[in-house]
Amino acid sequence: MSTGEQSRPHVVLGVTGGIAAYKACELLRLLQKGGAEVQVIMTKNACEFVSPLTFETLSGFPAVTDTFNRPERWSVEHVAMAKWADLFVIAPATANILAKMAAGIADDMLSTTVLATSAPVLVAPAMNSGMYLNAATQANMSLLQSRGIHFVDPASGYLACGDTGVGKLAPVEEIAARCFELLNKRQDMAGLRVLVTAGPTREMLDPVRYITNRSSGKMGYALAAAAKARGAEVTLLTGPVSLSAPAGVHVVPFLTTADLLEAMLKYAGDCDVIIQAAAPADYRPEAVAQQKIKKKSGEPFVLTMVENPDVAATVGAMKKEGQTFVGFAAETENVLEHAAGKLKKKHLDLIVANDVTAPGAGFDVDTNIVTLIAGDHQQSLPLAAKREVADAILDEVLRIRG
Ligand code: CTP
């Protein structure tokens, strides 16, 4: 985290060993021109291409390198730099650093620091086309993207190795623009109280059995993390999921739809933005058996379910002036039509519609394909990491709030 000094965002610039390393000097300049303070970490190979002294002179900070090969330094310095960063940018990024990041390998100052940071990370790959298009590199990039790492794709053209193809570092102006886009996002929800619900419910049948659904909670957790990163004060109401909550978020667990409603009624009144990403059960068993229900061989098991409250509709009906209420519609057919109906019925300001049968969308995957519907405003987003979808939803929330 930065010192809180808003006017001078902190950028850690990671430079890896490629012919494009010299372009990182120009990137550093552009970042400084835009008002950022920049510290540089160079890999050992990067030092073969550009002298650390160049970065040191330009940045006004010592360039952190591994040239002395003293691993004990990492444990001290990497944490400090990881925390200092408001943004981490790696340009140029070799296939090697992408592979290390994907695998969580921390064997030098750069890989160690990027593993430790909670700042947004932007990567600008540059390498030979064959390496870039190799299935291993592509798989590493998809994995990193699904974890919320941002990319500036390389351009095509004449490469230093003599080939022509994709793999040229994107123009530094484009990389700098993406850096500022990410930095500007970071505090645009400061002062807002955001309530996010996530995950499935569990409706108990007896002490050992319950009825649940396929919600993993990933979309809700991504929203909580994104809102937190953008400066909001976040409360996360969570069903039983196997995810760890983002740091600094107030977590309140729930089990059943009734629990969720109770928690919503307790916390929603004080919030500016309420995002109902949880998947509450519409029905619950009429009675919860006190003892384990015994098998009766040869007889069908008949279960009577009774209707649960509609949490979103209840909260929507109580919505106060100035509150923005967001819901989800996970559909398998007539997606937009059903979603628009729920938007009205539940007094939502925005509904996030998705076809959960589409590949790459829906349950327990790291990506999603959604359409945002707010009144007459409709926006279809391409397949993207849930974290990116979360940021797009928050962008739309801020647009609605004006
Ligand atoms: N929702 C809710 N309480 C319920 C059911 C749903 O708050 N008992 C919320 C969901 O969290 C979501 C929105 O309402 O934000 C739409 O949920 P969805 O399951 O798609 O719709 P339902 O109203 O349950 O309608 P149906 O099951 O018929 O599609």
Side-chain angles (χ1 to χ4, degrees):
M1 278 248 299
S2 79
T3 55
E5 191 193 342
Q6 292 294 305
S7 52
R8 302 224 53 196
H10 296 167
V11 178
V12 172
L13 169 60
V15 184
T16 64
I19 187 68
Y22 74 94
K23 293 186 183 166
C25 301
E26 184 55 26
L27 176 62
L28 190 157
R29 276 302 209 199
L30 290 175
L31 292 171
Q32 285 175 326
K33 261 193 205 157
E37 248 185 316
V38 186
Q39 290 203 57
V40 177
I41 305 178
M42 302 175 73
T43 60
K44 199 163 182 284
N45 287 342
C47 300
E48 304 287 331
F49 290 90
V50 184
S51 153
L53 190 61
T54 310
F55 285 111
E56 230 163 274
T57 312
L58 292 174
S59 70
F61 288 98
V64 181
T65 64
D66 293 304
T67 45
F68 297 108
N69 203 13
R70 283 182 293 158
E72 71 275 13
R73 283 174 61 225
W74 306 344
S75 59
V76 188
E77 283 181 28
H78 85 274
V79 176
M81 281 186 91
K83 283 189 180 163
W84 183 85
D86 293 312
L87 175 72
F88 214 108
V89 53
I90 304 182
T94 54
N96 191 42
I97 187 73
L98 295 173
K100 288 207 273 188
M101 286 168 72
I105 293 172
D107 64 351
D108 63 9
M109 188 65 188
L110 180 58
S111 54
T112 308
T113 314
V114 76
L115 193 63
T117 195
S118 56
V121 178
L122 176 67
V123 173
M127 65 197 78
N128 155 275
S129 311
M131 292 171 83
Y132 181 72
L133 296 173
N134 185 287
T137 307
Q138 290 292 318
N140 288 334
M141 289 194 298
S142 305
L143 182 63
L144 291 170
Q145 223 156 7
S146 74
R147 291 182 187 150
I149 303 288
H150 304 271
F151 277 81
V152 189
D153 294 333
S156 288
Y158 180 75
L159 304 172
C161 54
D163 287 352
T164 304
V166 66
K168 220 173 150 60
L169 184 72
V172 282
E173 293 76 14
E174 191 185 327
I175 303 171
R178 284 292 300 281
C179 287
F180 288 114
E181 202 183 292
L182 290 167
L183 282 169
N184 290 338
K185 265 196 178 150
R186 76 200 159 111
Q187 292 302 311
D188 62 1
M189 296 194 88
L192 289 179
R193 282 160 303 180
V194 175
L195 179 69
V196 181
T197 72
T201 50
R202 271 184 196 170
E203 301 291 350
M204 300 306 291
L205 266 170
D206 68 14
V208 294
R209 303 180 179 100
Y210 54 79
I211 293 175
T212 189
N213 59 62
R214 291 181 57 200
S215 169
S216 63
K218 284 182 177 174
M219 195 61 241
Y221 273 60
L223 278 157
K228 175 73 191 147
R230 292 167 74 157
E233 193 184 307
V234 181
T235 300
L236 174 63
L237 308 186
T238 178
V241 296
S242 51
L243 299 170
S244 43
V249 161
H250 176 213
V251 179
V252 180
F254 65 81
L255 214 52
T256 65
T257 297
D259 294 344
L260 172 61
L261 178 60
E262 195 184 320
M264 275 288 232
L265 295 177
K266 182 167 174 192
Y267 294 101
D270 289 335
C271 289
D272 304 295
V273 179
I274 303 156
I275 306 178
Q276 171 77 318
D282 286 332
Y283 297 93
R284 66 179 184 279
E286 189 173 34
V288 182
Q290 292 304 307
Q291 306 301 332
K292 186 181 172 205
I293 299 169
K294 288 297 177 192
K295 180 170 70 180
K296 290 187 185 136
S297 275
E299 282 181 38
F301 179 69
V302 179
L303 178 66
T304 305
M305 308 272 285
V306 293
E307 201 174 335
N308 266 333
D310 188 317
V311 180
T314 312
V315 173
M318 296 165 60
K319 194 170 60 177
K320 293 190 221 160
E321 178 87 29
Q323 285 190 318
T324 310
F325 191 23
V326 183
F328 278 72
E331 307 289 348
T332 55
E333 56 177 1
N334 302 331
V335 178
L336 299 184
E337 195 185 315
H338 282 145
K342 289 174 188 175
L343 177 79
K344 271 211 183 111
K345 197 174 124 203
K346 304 192 189 213
H347 309 280
L348 299 164
D349 299 292
L350 169 63
I351 193 149
V352 183
N354 70 341
D355 178 350
V356 288
T357 62
F363 305 110
D364 215 19
V365 287
D366 291 313
T367 53
N368 213 348
I369 311 167
V370 303
T371 299
L372 309 183
I373 309 172
D376 293 339
H377 198 265
Q378 198 167 305
Q379 188 190 352
S380 294
L381 303 177
L383 174 79
K386 283 186 172 166
R387 177 58 188 265
E388 279 182 61
V389 174
D391 271 315
I393 293 169
L394 297 179
D395 287 346
E396 185 63 3
V397 164
L398 293 181
R399 189 193 67 80
I400 293 168
R401 294 180 64 83

